[in-house]
Amino acid sequence: MLNENIKAIRKSKGLSQQELAVKLNVVRQTISKWEQGLSVPDSDMLISISEALETPVSTLLGENVIEPEADGLKAISAKLEVINLQLAQRKTSRKRILYWLLTSLSVVIAAIFAILLALKSPYLGWDYSDPESAVLGVALHSFEWLFVRAAPIILIGAVIGIVLMQKKE
């Protein structure tokens, strides 16, 4: 039982017999004899083994430790395939979100243009002697002035983005 546990835990930690032997200041053949059950380490060495393998002595002396099977090439490729699928789904969902954001932006810009055309800048006929009307009129005029200059550039960029996204699919 001890011999099987030492071997299983050593392998699970990714250590060779030589590496474990170096940690314990013994020769590799000593590790080999322990793992074959031809000899048994003394109590002091058992404590050193548990420290080197970062495992309690009770585990070394206890029940058999099941050696974890190394992932085969098929298991690794299956995991990579799942990861690639998840990345592709994430990329597709991001594209879909971006597409709808650009479409929504275009619709909002077109709607604001329509509203501004329908209103025909009513603030231009207001009485600006009233301070509240003056502030509101200047704010509306500033918004309209900025919107009329910036919105076409943003709209063209959004439409180009939508077209380019459609071509890639």
Side-chain angles (χ1 to χ4, degrees), residues 14-34:
L15 294 172
S16 67
Q17 286 183 344
Q18 181 63 39
E19 291 169 330
L20 182 58
V22 168
K23 284 186 172 192
L24 298 173
N25 294 322
V26 296
V27 293
R28 186 200 56 79
Q29 288 79 2
T30 305
I31 305 293
S32 177
K33 286 181 182 178
W34 292 340

Side-chain angles (χ1 to χ4, degrees), residues 27-69:
V27 293
R28 186 200 56 79
Q29 288 79 2
T30 305
I31 305 293
S32 177
K33 286 181 182 178
W34 292 340
E35 291 181 356
Q36 291 175 16
L38 300 176
S39 67
V40 179
D42 63 11
S43 59
D44 291 335
M45 186 55 73
L46 201 54
I47 293 171
S48 298
I49 293 170
S50 73
E51 290 171 357
L53 296 177
E54 299 171 347
T55 304
V57 175
S58 59
T59 303
L60 289 173
L61 295 173
E63 298 177 8
N64 287 345
V65 176
I66 299 171
E67 184 177 333
E69 295 182 21

Side-chain angles (χ1 to χ4, degrees), residues 20-161:
L20 182 58
V22 168
K23 284 186 172 192
L24 298 173
N25 294 322
V26 296
V27 293
R28 186 200 56 79
Q29 288 79 2
T30 305
I31 305 293
S32 177
K33 286 181 182 178
W34 292 340
E35 291 181 356
Q36 291 175 16
L38 300 176
S39 67
V40 179
D42 63 11
S43 59
D44 291 335
M45 186 55 73
L46 201 54
I47 293 171
S48 298
I49 293 170
S50 73
E51 290 171 357
L53 296 177
E54 299 171 347
T55 304
V57 175
S58 59
T59 303
L60 289 173
L61 295 173
E63 298 177 8
N64 287 345
V65 176
I66 299 171
E67 184 177 333
E69 295 182 21
D71 287 345
L73 190 57
K74 288 182 182 180
I76 292 171
S77 66
K79 289 177 183 177
L80 286 174
E81 188 175 336
V82 168
I83 291 170
N84 284 338
L85 256 170
Q86 290 172 343
L87 290 174
Q89 288 174 345
R90 187 178 296 163
K91 185 177 180 181
T92 303
S93 67
R94 285 181 180 167
K95 278 185 176 181
R96 195 175 308 128
I97 290 170
L98 182 61
Y99 173 79
W100 285 110
L101 283 173
L102 291 174
T103 303
S104 301
L105 179 64
S106 300
V107 168
V108 167
I109 288 173
I112 292 174
F113 262 123
I115 291 169
L116 289 176
L117 281 174
L119 292 177
K120 298 181 183 176
S121 305
Y123 58 85
L124 293 177
W126 289 357
D127 177 23
Y128 282 92
S129 60
D130 179 27
E132 291 173 358
S133 300
V135 170
L136 186 59
V138 168
L140 287 173
H141 181 68
S142 299
F143 170 76
E144 186 178 77
W145 183 87
L146 184 63
F147 184 80
V148 166
R149 279 150 185 81
I153 297 168
I154 296 170
L155 182 63
I156 290 170
V159 170
I160 290 172

